[in-house]
Amino acid sequence: MAVASQPTTTSDREEFTTLDWGLFIAVALIWGSSFLLIKIGLDAFHPGFITWARVALGAATLALLPRKRVRLEPTDRGRLVLLSVVWVGIPFTLFPLAEVHISSAVTGLLNGAIPIFTGLWGAIAFNRVPRGPQRAGLVVGFLGVVLISVVSSTEGESSVVGVVMVLVATVCYGLAGNMAGPLQHRYGSVAVMRWMLVLATVWTAPFGIFGLFRSEFAVGPAVAVGVLGAVGTGIAFALMATLVGRVGGPRGSFVAYVIPVVSLALGVAILNESVSAWALGGVALVLAGSMLAGRAER
């Protein structure tokens, strides 16, 4: 998942409190389990309906949270519409489609590349040229992404399609991570995500209705999709916004490094999925590269 950004405060230099660690662990567990929940949902529901239900439930959950009225400036409306497509519409649609072809564990491992693509987009399109350890981190992390992709695509043409879908989704997340900052600073992370989810509910509705008539009902998958939407998309983002507000964006973003580990553990333990040693090596490179990319410039 793309990580919210906020202005840096003095709190980003202080030691994590018990509440900070609780928020950090909760977000990592919730977002890391999202790939497992998608896989369970696919046992009964079409990918399009999973996306639509997830987005709509997330929007409804955030709408229930206390909020102050915020007026969106006309010049920001187009940016928000574009962000709703890049951050929610495209990636949330692609993840269930990808998991038709590849395991939840591999999906989660590839999702760990978000910080790498965020850095690449920053260098290419936003004039944020990395230097020193950041540049080295992008190179190391990108090699890790290539290794995971190549190894995970060896199972046939179907797995290649799944890997490509996840990579496109993570590239979108990387772009969104660079676009979202100014809007979040002006209006707040939760308000921006609420607007985006409402808009994305409209964008994903045609595919969702199409999938509704190609789905069956089952209690287990229904519960999984409900948790994915209300908790994994709504509550988790509110928790992440709280965490970033307390410890700062740079340290809060480290939750992205834990998500692949959670996804791998759940996929292996609950679904008996397997991941090759080479793919695990690629994950190590991605995590190392992400940590380097997240260091301060020299």
Side-chain angles (χ1 to χ4, degrees):
M1 305 294 168
V3 178
S5 65
Q6 291 280 15
T8 300
T9 64
T10 55
S11 61
D12 72 338
R13 297 182 177 89
E14 299 174 357
E15 185 177 353
F16 271 27
T17 65
T18 301
L19 177 58
D20 297 335
W21 279 117
L23 291 168
F24 185 94
I25 293 171
V27 172
L29 290 175
I30 293 171
W31 278 347
S33 65
S34 63
F35 307 102
L36 170 67
L37 295 174
I38 291 173
K39 200 70 169 179
I40 295 174
L42 287 170
D43 289 341
F45 300 113
H46 185 275
F49 178 72
I50 291 176
T51 294
W52 191 35
R54 176 186 185 182
V55 174
L57 287 171
T61 301
L62 289 182
L64 294 175
L65 297 179
R67 64 186 187 276
K68 62 180 181 180
R69 190 174 184 84
V70 179
R71 182 179 181 276
L72 186 66
E73 295 295 330
T75 55
D76 287 330
R77 292 172 184 170
R79 297 187 185 96
L80 186 66
V81 169
L82 178 59
L83 191 61
S84 71
V85 174
V86 175
W87 198 351
V88 181
I90 295 175
F92 279 32
T93 299
L94 288 176
F95 278 122
L97 288 171
E99 289 198 39
V100 173
H101 305 283
I102 58 178
S103 69
S104 67
V106 170
T107 305
L109 297 183
L110 289 170
N111 189 72
I114 289 175
I116 304 301
F117 288 119
T118 302
L120 289 175
W121 272 114
I124 295 171
F126 294 88
N127 198 30
R128 298 168 186 161
V129 180
R131 295 179 175 84
Q134 295 180 354
R135 183 176 300 175
L138 291 179
V139 173
V140 171
F142 187 76
L143 291 176
V145 173
V146 171
L147 182 56
I148 298 172
S149 302
V150 171
V151 172
S152 302
S153 299
T154 57
E155 299 178 1
E157 183 177 348
S158 179
S159 62
V160 173
V161 172
V163 167
V164 170
M165 287 181 175
V166 176
L167 289 178
V168 172
T170 54
V171 168
C172 287
Y173 275 154
L175 175 58
N178 284 280
M179 293 174 55
L183 291 173
Q184 291 174 328
H185 295 166
R186 279 194 286 274
Y187 306 110
S189 294
V190 175
V192 170
M193 192 63 183
R194 185 188 300 115
W195 287 328
M196 283 198 304
L197 288 174
V198 170
L199 289 170
T201 301
V202 178
W203 313 148
T204 58
F207 193 33
I209 295 172
F210 173 84
L212 175 63
F213 292 102
R214 287 158 180 79
S215 300
E216 303 174 354
F217 179 82
V219 174
V223 171
V225 173
V227 173
L228 177 68
V231 180
T233 309
I235 294 176
F237 199 91
L239 293 176
M240 185 64 195
T242 303
L243 175 64
V244 169
R246 290 176 58 86
V247 305
R251 290 202 300 171
S253 68
F254 270 78
V255 74
Y257 308 152
V258 185
I259 292 173
V261 179
V262 175
S263 172
L264 174 63
L266 292 176
V268 171
I270 297 178
L271 299 179
N272 295 317
E273 297 175 342
S274 60
V275 177
S276 72
W278 284 105
L280 293 178
V283 174
L285 289 175
V286 169
L287 296 181
S290 296
M291 290 180 182
L292 285 171
R295 293 182 62 183
E297 292 184 3
R298 293 177 180 174

